[in-house]
Amino acid sequence: METNLYPIQRDIENLARFTATPGQGVTRFSFTPEDRGAREYIKKAMAEAGLSVREDAAGTVIGRRQGKVEGPVVMLGSHFDSVRHGGAFDGTAGVVVAIEIARVLEEHGVSTVYPVEIIAMVEEEGGRFGAGLFGSRAMAGLVTYGQMELRDDSGISLAEAMREFGFNPSEIGTARRKPEELKAFFELHIEQGPILEKEGVSLGLVEAIVGMRNYQVAITGRPDHAGTTPMDMRADALVAASEVVQQVRKIALDVGGGAVGTVGKMEVLPGAANIVPGEVRFTVDLRSHMESALDELHSRLHSAVEQACAREGVTYTLEQVSDAKPAHLSVVLREVLEKEARARGISTMTMISRAGHDTQIMATLTDAALIFVPSKDGRSHCPEEWTDYADLKQGADVLLGAVLAVAEAER
Ligand code: HGY
Ligand code: MN
Ligand code: MN
């Protein structure tokens, strides 16, 4: 029994069409028309694969295949939102492969002791509202930091966008899953880095996922005439912000151990060549696989912002908007995957994920596993993102084997 390459390729190519930036990569933010298109496509494909389909209160799409017993359930899937101008494979590949596995189980009339659920998570990237892993956080009861009050560039909050889309944010608690309801969670994802390709290995078995902390900073100076305001009489918010950007890089290098810090989005206001910037708003993304390093990054960021603003005579707000702990993944599930890969002559290596994933949140609920397939040139979060379909199929076959084993298929 194996998966089929064509339906995987067809679904990835079809889903890539649901983008707000055609010709410039995939931009599919949650609760937008692009989300609607992809969501309906996924629900239809799940139904055609014999699954009973529902959406939970967060907006995650869940396709269930009954087992001999009611539970606990074996879950597999990934997310179907994207970053701005992203690629066709990030998240989508894991959703499409999971649906193909459901098709194969149906076509072969496989019955399993445990039920299987195919998952298309909503709002993993946080591309629109600034904090991600929302679908998995809702399942784990970890929607915190006022995540639903975060606002997009046009001032719409996550809760308002959900309501406009047909979901009721006040019912978010009903999306919660109890640990005893779950047997395992599997996610297949593109590596988004260069290691598998460089090592010539087909599959990455992830042992740990980095922790992430996201912040929103607003620095307020004074908008002034760029010509008539002497240099020693300015309160230039962008000068202070630029110092913080330099410090974020320095802090990550000083803390070391693979820690990373990024300022990825910045808005300069009022935003004119002849006005001294009065306000600057920007994001900070800090990551490490060690909680102690994240604490060190956190405190050094606070002092860097304080010192840069004191020097420039401007004020600031610094708000943490999300926190995902470092996760150590299931050794048992990794061994099952390793055995299935070996049985198929597929090479594997153990890895740490420096990208965040829903798997790290699901690992707070149940045994969780994350497998990587190679990314061409290690590129991701860009239109050039690519994974060969043959590599995707290999990962899908190994995942199929693991699901048959863990859900206890009756041969
Ligand atoms: O940011 C990340 O690591 C993931 O792509 N959401
Ligand atoms: Mn991503
Ligand atoms: Mn992803």
Side-chain angles (χ1 to χ4, degrees):
M1 198 183 312
E2 60 179 299
T3 60
N4 306 284
L5 186 143
Y6 172 68
I8 292 173
Q9 177 171 350
R10 177 201 61 208
D11 287 351
I12 285 177
E13 289 172 353
N14 286 341
L15 283 167
R17 296 195 181 102
F18 299 111
T19 171
T21 54
Q24 298 167 63
V26 176
T27 302
R28 184 162 60 240
F29 286 167
S30 298
F31 311 121
T32 61
E34 299 73 44
D35 171 328
R36 176 66 71 199
R39 178 184 296 273
E40 293 311 314
Y41 184 97
I42 288 167
K43 285 159 71 176
K44 182 167 175 290
M46 283 183 174
E48 288 167 356
L51 301 171
S52 57
V53 183
R54 70 182 180 94
E55 291 163 299
D56 72 10
T60 288
V61 184
I62 300 169
R64 184 178 171 96
R65 190 171 197 278
Q66 289 306 357
K68 286 235 175 302
V69 300
E70 203 40 40
V73 67
V74 174
M75 269 188 181
L76 60 151
S78 190
H79 62 95
F80 71 101
D81 64 316
S82 81
V83 293
R84 192 189 302 274
H85 297 299
F89 295 83
D90 179 356
T92 306
V95 172
V96 163
V97 157
I99 295 172
E100 171 58 12
I101 285 172
R103 274 191 210 105
V104 170
L105 295 179
E106 194 64 5
E107 280 154 20
H108 290 261
V110 172
S111 60
T112 55
V113 171
Y114 296 99
V116 172
E117 284 187 0
I118 306 301
I119 306 291
M121 290 284 192
V122 70
E123 190 59 358
E124 186 272 348
E125 296 286 5
R128 180 177 173 189
F129 300 99
L133 305 176
F134 178 63
S136 46
R137 285 184 197 282
M139 286 191 184
L142 291 174
V143 176
T144 51
Y145 290 96
Q147 185 167 6
M148 293 206 286
E149 295 324 308
L150 291 174
R151 295 183 180 280
D152 67 9
D153 293 345
S154 44
I156 297 170
S157 73
L158 172 50
E160 287 159 359
M162 288 175 72
R163 212 169 286 120
E164 275 168 36
F165 206 76
F167 293 106
N168 180 353
S170 60
E171 288 174 359
I172 193 73
T174 63
R176 188 157 186 180
R177 308 298 289 268
K178 297 187 194 75
E180 56 273 24
E181 288 178 53
L182 304 184
K183 188 165 196 296
F185 177 85
F186 290 97
E187 181 171 14
L188 178 145
H189 201 285
I190 56 172
E191 180 202 339
Q192 302 181 293
I195 297 168
L196 288 173
E197 186 179 60
K198 185 164 150 280
E199 301 296 329
V201 172
S202 302
L203 219 52
L205 303 177
V206 178
E207 57 181 341
I209 305 176
V210 293
M212 303 189 288
R213 292 187 191 177
N214 289 91
Y215 304 82
Q216 289 182 351
V217 188
I219 294 180
T220 305
R222 198 184 56 239
D224 277 318
H225 193 296
T228 57
T229 312
M231 292 311 284
D232 63 353
M233 289 175 64
R234 295 181 177 209
D236 186 328
L238 184 53
V239 168
S242 312
E243 174 60 22
V244 173
V245 172
Q246 293 297 334
Q247 286 300 314
V248 165
R249 168 170 294 201
K250 185 176 178 316
I251 292 167
L253 291 168
D254 288 356
V255 168
V260 290
T262 312
V263 174
K265 183 178 179 182
M266 182 176 275
E267 200 182 2
V268 180
L269 301 169
N274 58 359
I275 306 177
V276 175
E279 180 168 8
V280 176
R281 294 189 206 130
F282 57 94
T283 59
V284 180
D285 175 308
L286 302 176
R287 305 189 189 200
S288 170
H289 61 287
M290 293 181 293
E291 192 73 14
S292 56
L294 284 167
D295 291 338
E296 172 71 10
L297 291 164
H298 176 95
S299 60
R300 297 212 21 200
L301 170 68
H302 280 69
S303 356
V305 174
E306 189 182 359
Q307 286 157 24
C309 290
R311 205 170 305 129
E312 187 59 26
V314 296
T315 58
Y316 70 91
T317 58
L318 167 51
E319 190 195 351
Q320 182 171 348
V321 293
S322 79
D323 171 11
K325 300 223 174 303
H328 293 277
L329 302 184
S330 162
V331 176
V332 170
L333 294 185
R334 214 161 48 245
E335 284 167 356
V336 169
L337 289 159
E338 165 77 56
K339 182 168 166 276
E340 293 299 330
R342 204 178 317 114
R344 293 167 174 80
I346 294 172
S347 57
T348 65
M349 62 186 286
T350 308
M351 305 176 79
I352 284 183
S353 173
R354 300 217 175 264
H357 294 285
D358 286 313
T359 302
Q360 72 194 100
I361 300 296
M362 298 307 287
T364 65
L365 280 177
T366 186
D367 278 354
L370 174 62
I371 52 173
F372 281 163
V373 288
S375 289
K376 188 171 177 316
D377 306 328
R379 300 290 306 282
S380 181
H381 282 189
C382 58
E384 295 76 14
E385 183 181 274
W386 178 265
T387 290
D388 288 347
Y389 290 108
D391 287 338
L392 264 183
K393 176 183 165 10
Q394 281 202 322
D397 288 337
V398 169
L399 184 51
L400 168 63
V403 168
L404 289 169
V406 176
E408 295 182 19
E410 293 172 341
R411 309 241 183 206

